[in-house]
Amino acid sequence: ANKFLRRKIFDEHSSFQSAVIPIPSTIILGPIPSNPNNKTKKKQNHNLTFMGRTLQALSELTSPQRTIYSPNDCAWFCYELSTDDQKKKKQSPPPLFQKLCGLETLITVERSLGVVGLAGLDRLLAFQIVHTLSATCREFKVQAKPIAAFLEHLQCQALDPEWLPPASSTSSSETAKFYAAVTKKLEPLAHRLGSSLLAVGHAQLLRKSITHALCLRSRLDASHLNSTLQALDASLLTDLMAHYQDPQHKPYPLDDDKKNILPELSKLLDASGLSEPFQTIY
């Protein structure tokens, strides 16, 4: 996660680096294997650590450009046509969907890396999402600055209220021309924003699948710990909500002696797969 941090942690300051068995930091592997039917240029793997290379391989395996995510199966499928269908390009039977990655894949990764390694991949994805969101906000501010007045006009006048046609248009043809002009002007912003949202959504789906694998392992190997964490989480949330609804009669449940409970509980919930990535505030 060093490339996602503002303050870099060098080898001499890392608690994981060892002088006896050092972690190499100059490894550059060859091209990442990709779909043979995909003729796009192969990317080089420049991650320095094993965890970074594992995460990049997992991201390439579930790339949105070549896979379709199925929420019902919690898996990624590859959309492929047979060679005969590709040559003829005529009406043919439905395409084949090959399962590329699912819960079984992540369980295999967990058997290789352990629970700590799988939770580390989840943490790397969280760093990646924060890095992408921060970079997108900075670029959006720079690109939107020349058309800031136009955006304010759209929000406050032209498209207010949103459920009605623009106030300046009196017919359907004028409305179509108005939306076409707005789309053309906002196309550069929308393209960059769309690619960033696609990357964030991809990482969120990976985090959700990793959470399922961690939760399954927690229920099988540490069922008592899993139940205890769920009960403690529910009780703390109930006490906190009661305090904020009636602060005069309901005291704050976490005093100075218990102020570290929430950060420690959050770490245990993440490691046990009891967190909810889709509701996380980055």
Side-chain angles (χ1 to χ4, degrees), residues 141-207:
K141 289 181 180 179
V142 174
Q143 294 179 0
K145 191 174 182 180
I147 58 173
F150 176 73
L151 293 175
E152 185 177 358
H153 171 71
L154 284 180
Q155 183 178 3
C156 300
Q157 298 180 14
L159 298 179
D160 186 34
E162 294 85 354
W163 60 86
L164 292 178
S168 59
S169 60
T170 58
S171 62
S172 59
S173 60
E174 291 183 1
T175 302
K177 292 179 181 179
F178 174 81
Y179 282 121
V182 172
T183 303
K184 185 176 181 180
K185 197 173 186 64
L186 299 181
E187 187 176 358
L189 291 177
H191 179 72
R192 171 58 183 163
L193 188 62
S195 60
S196 300
L197 292 177
L198 182 65
V200 171
H202 180 209
Q204 285 284 77
L205 290 177
L206 281 174
R207 289 200 67 193

Side-chain angles (χ1 to χ4, degrees), residues 52-252:
R53 295 192 293 273
T54 303
L55 180 59
Q56 185 168 357
L58 194 61
S59 300
E60 287 290 328
L61 183 64
T62 59
S63 173
Q65 282 75 24
R66 55 185 290 257
T67 60
I68 298 175
Y69 180 76
S70 173
N72 296 331
D73 299 315
C74 296
W76 285 262
F77 293 85
C78 180
Y79 177 85
E80 290 183 350
L81 289 173
S82 63
T83 55
D84 296 335
D85 295 337
Q86 291 178 356
K87 292 178 180 179
K88 296 179 181 178
K89 293 184 179 180
K90 295 181 180 179
Q91 188 174 2
S92 58
L96 301 177
F97 290 91
Q98 179 186 2
K99 188 174 183 179
L100 293 181
C101 181
L103 188 59
E104 303 85 357
T105 307
L106 295 174
I107 291 177
T108 303
V109 174
E110 186 270 328
R111 290 175 181 172
S112 302
L113 303 180
V115 174
V116 177
L118 196 59
L121 291 178
D122 179 69
R123 187 169 177 81
L124 280 176
L125 286 169
F127 276 112
Q128 181 179 335
I129 292 172
V130 173
H131 178 76
T132 304
L133 291 176
S134 301
T136 303
C137 290
R138 289 194 301 266
E139 293 182 8
F140 186 82
K141 289 181 180 179
V142 174
Q143 294 179 0
K145 191 174 182 180
I147 58 173
F150 176 73
L151 293 175
E152 185 177 358
H153 171 71
L154 284 180
Q155 183 178 3
C156 300
Q157 298 180 14
L159 298 179
D160 186 34
E162 294 85 354
W163 60 86
L164 292 178
S168 59
S169 60
T170 58
S171 62
S172 59
S173 60
E174 291 183 1
T175 302
K177 292 179 181 179
F178 174 81
Y179 282 121
V182 172
T183 303
K184 185 176 181 180
K185 197 173 186 64
L186 299 181
E187 187 176 358
L189 291 177
H191 179 72
R192 171 58 183 163
L193 188 62
S195 60
S196 300
L197 292 177
L198 182 65
V200 171
H202 180 209
Q204 285 284 77
L205 290 177
L206 281 174
R207 289 200 67 193
K208 186 68 175 179
S209 300
I210 290 176
T211 300
H212 288 321
L214 289 173
C215 185
L216 177 62
R217 180 57 58 189
S218 173
R219 290 180 177 179
L220 291 177
D221 294 348
S223 58
H224 294 293
L225 175 62
N226 186 281
S227 301
T228 303
L229 289 175
Q230 291 186 31
L232 180 59
D233 182 41
S235 61
L236 280 177
L237 286 178
T238 302
D239 293 341
L240 288 173
M241 292 177 64
H243 166 71
Y244 286 112
Q245 291 176 358
D246 190 7
Q248 295 182 354
H249 300 87
K250 300 289 184 179
Y252 189 69

